[in-house]
Amino acid sequence: SSGNAPEDDAPNRYSRTERTTYSRYSRDANSSGSSLPSNTLEKRIEELERELAKERQENARLMKMAQDKEELIGKLKEEIDLLNR
């Protein structure tokens, strides 16, 4: 059950970070009178969101692999214990 706690926390952490990042971009774009057109910023945000989605998928895949390996280690430890008896 300890393996599930970090997973459960991950979506909350990401969404807070995303909100903070988005609001920072919005503030910077509005307050700085940026020379970049808003559609350029929107395209950049979309690009970053796609990149974030890919990274999240990779993170989920790696977490699943790690969990599978932990389960295998547990089973092998049990098997070793049985063989030692």
Side-chain angles (χ1 to χ4, degrees):
S1 70
S2 63
N4 292 340
E7 275 182 50
D8 294 341
D9 187 42
N12 295 331
R13 184 172 63 244
Y14 287 133
S15 60
R16 275 197 302 275
T17 304
E18 242 181 350
R19 281 196 300 272
T20 304
T21 304
Y22 180 74
S23 64
R24 186 167 55 238
Y25 277 126
S26 299
R27 258 199 323 277
D28 291 349
N30 293 336
S31 64
S32 68
S34 175
S35 59
L36 291 173
S38 63
N39 64 343
T40 303
L41 292 175
E42 287 172 9
K43 285 179 184 175
R44 179 67 177 141
I45 289 171
E46 287 174 11
E47 180 184 313
L48 291 170
E49 285 173 345
R50 283 193 299 272
E51 192 176 323
L52 178 62
K54 286 179 190 174
E55 293 298 329
R56 282 185 175 159
Q57 283 181 332
E58 177 67 2
N59 189 39
R61 187 184 70 80
L62 292 171
M63 288 178 76
K64 172 89 171 83
M65 264 173 58
Q67 187 177 7
D68 291 347
K69 288 183 191 268
E70 287 295 323
E71 288 174 11
L72 179 60
I73 288 170
K75 288 177 184 175
L76 291 172
K77 283 181 178 178
E78 289 174 12
E79 191 173 332
I80 289 170
D81 189 41
L82 286 173
L83 290 171
N84 283 335
R85 290 180 193 174

